[in-house]
Amino acid sequence: LLLCHAEEAAAVIVSGLRSTDVFVGESATFTCELSHPGVKNVQWWLDGTPLHNNLVTEISEQDGRIHTLTLNDVACHDSGTVTFRAGPLISSAKLLVKGISLLA
């Protein structure tokens, strides 16, 4: 009897991005959880612009499965669509940055 090893199942998104509302100057965090590690070509985007790790944009990953993007000190112009792409997998969510009203 010959046993063939099935190819490892492709990773899937276990928990996708969630839309977030924050105020100007706050941080916005987006998290995407994959079923297993090892997915290549992981990239974050904001309104079609690729994001890179720097002082304002923190990109991290935990166990190769949990991918996190934190946008620090957001401004109104940061509002838009955040997209996470890992190989063929895509998850998107809206970021809404609200101005602080003086009429509280």
Side-chain angles (χ1 to χ4, degrees), residues 3 20 23 50 58 83:
L3 290 176
T20 303
F23 286 105
E58 294 175 36
T83 303

Side-chain angles (χ1 to χ4, degrees), residues 7-82:
E7 277 191 43
E8 190 176 327
V12 295
I13 293 175
V14 177
S15 173
L17 304 184
R18 293 201 176 92
S19 293
T20 303
D21 292 9
V22 293
F23 286 105
V24 168
E26 292 184 338
S27 294
T29 300
F30 294 87
T31 302
C32 191
E33 183 179 345
L34 303 178
S35 56
H36 47 265
V39 179
K40 303 283 185 252
N41 303 326
V42 171
Q43 178 69 60
W44 290 91
W45 309 75
L46 177 57
D47 271 350
T49 303
L51 298 175
H52 303 284
N53 219 353
N54 56 40
L55 289 172
V56 217
T57 308
E58 294 175 36
I59 297 172
S60 64
E61 105 179 23
Q62 185 182 339
D63 303 330
R65 295 188 322 113
I66 299 170
H67 297 265
T68 304
L69 167 71
T70 301
L71 300 171
N72 294 310
D73 195 20
V74 296
C76 287
H77 66 259
D78 291 320
S79 291
T81 302
V82 173

